[in-house]
Amino acid sequence: MTELNGAETRVSSWRLLALNPVTLLSALVLLTVAVVAVCANWIAPYGVNDVDVPNALQAPGATHWFGTDELGRDVLARVLLAIQASIRIAVISVAFAVVVGVTVGVVAGYFAGHKGGWLDTVLMRVIDVMFAFPVLLLALAIVAVLGPGVSTTILAIGIVYTPIFARVARASTLSVRTETYVAASRAGGTGDLYILRRHILPNISGPLIVQTSLSLAFAILSEAALSFLGLGIQPPEPSLGRMIFDSQGFVTMAWWMAVFPGAAIFVIVLGFNLFGDGLRDVLDPKQRSAIEARRREP
């Protein structure tokens, strides 16, 4: 019966997501972005670093849909490859933050106030110290120490978003661990590791899924900011942030050099944020009940 109710809940969740036009549109945008990230090398119309100086600063047209930059390179090809790089960095860095942050948060929340309570104190004080620094400032400090590049950008973004997942996981764990089924499992002699894996993690997945979607959006922005400052992806590999930086001297004569990379960042970040809002409405019981109540109203 429990499995049946769980299946019905999942079906209802998908139905509510599909009935929300904004969430559905954002999902289609993100699906398109995912296809571009996977297939960018094949769909790019020109080589990403093909220099054609005689056709430099060419306006958007039939030959170059997004125009060309100061070296005659196709802006569309560079935007596509830059999206691929941004998505790759965002996904890997957020995955790192999820694994480390959720592990820290769940362990700290499960043992808070009980045996091993000192572990909660130590872990969360470290998280509080990390939280005291602005995200971009901490990322800049990490990259400045380790040196610019893709690997250090991934590590920096992953580290600065770890505290967010740790706090979300700890808060959710503190709520779930007091449930009767957890107490019954513990009274039956079940080990802590089994309880964490079987009862805690599945029941805190909702807030973590929402936070993952939102963190992907901020990771895209963080990567673009680091690349804009010259500390992220290094030339000749294209980056949306670096393309905007390079366009500063040509804004009045070649607006497309800044507009298209900026538009790509805007669309991707907006898509993740709107999709995260839709997931929150569905996965949060209070929000979900309110939505279902409004739909039942005549």
Side-chain angles (χ1 to χ4, degrees):
M1 180 64 69
T2 302
E3 294 180 358
L4 181 60
N5 291 336
E8 291 176 351
T9 300
R10 287 192 294 272
V11 171
S12 179
S13 299
W14 285 112
R15 182 176 61 83
L16 287 176
L17 280 174
L19 290 175
N20 187 331
V22 175
T23 304
L24 186 60
L25 179 60
S26 63
L28 292 176
V29 169
L30 294 180
L31 179 61
T32 303
V33 171
V35 171
V36 169
V38 172
C39 305
N41 292 306
W42 293 284
I43 63 179
Y46 297 92
V48 68
N49 287 311
D50 289 352
V51 175
D52 185 12
V53 176
N55 289 317
L57 301 180
Q58 188 177 101
T63 305
H64 299 279
W65 290 2
F66 285 8
T68 60
D69 63 10
E70 75 278 11
L71 297 177
R73 296 172 298 188
D74 185 71
V75 174
L76 173 58
R78 293 181 64 79
V79 167
L80 293 175
L81 270 295
I83 290 174
Q84 182 186 65
S86 294
I87 294 297
R88 181 176 69 249
I89 289 175
V91 169
I92 297 175
S93 60
V94 171
F96 172 88
V98 168
V99 172
V100 177
V102 170
T103 300
V104 171
V106 168
V107 171
Y110 184 75
F111 291 110
H114 296 289
K115 58 177 181 178
W118 61 270
L119 189 60
D120 171 57
T121 302
V122 172
L123 291 176
M124 295 316 296
R125 294 301 76 76
V126 173
I127 293 299
D128 289 341
V129 170
M130 295 175 65
F131 236 123
F133 293 91
V135 170
L136 186 57
L137 181 61
L138 182 57
L140 284 171
I142 295 172
V143 174
V145 172
L146 300 178
V150 174
S151 299
T152 52
T153 299
I154 292 173
L155 182 61
I157 296 175
I159 290 174
V160 299
Y161 285 108
T162 294
I164 298 175
F165 286 97
R167 282 196 167 185
V168 172
R170 181 180 182 273
S172 300
T173 301
L174 288 173
S175 175
V176 172
R177 74 172 189 174
T178 60
E179 297 291 339
T180 54
Y181 55 83
V182 175
S185 182
R186 188 184 295 114
T190 305
D192 292 330
L193 186 60
Y194 179 85
I195 293 175
L196 290 173
R197 186 180 69 253
R198 182 67 179 84
H199 298 302
I200 302 296
L201 284 176
N203 288 286
I204 67 172
S205 60
L208 293 175
I209 291 173
V210 175
Q211 185 58 54
T212 298
S213 177
L214 298 176
S215 294
L216 284 169
F218 290 114
I220 295 288
L221 285 175
S222 298
E223 183 278 319
L226 290 174
S227 296
F228 181 87
L229 297 173
L231 297 174
I233 299 174
Q234 298 299 298
E237 186 177 358
S239 165
L240 296 173
R242 184 70 188 187
M243 292 176 70
I244 295 176
F245 176 84
D246 292 337
S247 69
Q248 291 181 100
F250 305 93
V251 173
T252 57
M253 65 182 73
W255 54 266
W256 53 89
M257 288 179 59
V259 168
F260 290 117
I265 295 174
F266 173 79
V267 170
I268 295 172
V269 172
L270 182 63
F272 276 120
N273 281 328
L274 292 178
F275 189 67
D277 288 341
L279 287 175
R280 181 189 59 195
D281 292 341
V282 170
L283 297 176
D284 185 347
K286 293 182 179 179
Q287 294 280 354
R288 178 173 175 167
S289 299
I291 293 173
E292 291 178 339
R294 287 197 299 268
R295 292 190 180 279
R296 285 195 295 266
E297 291 178 356

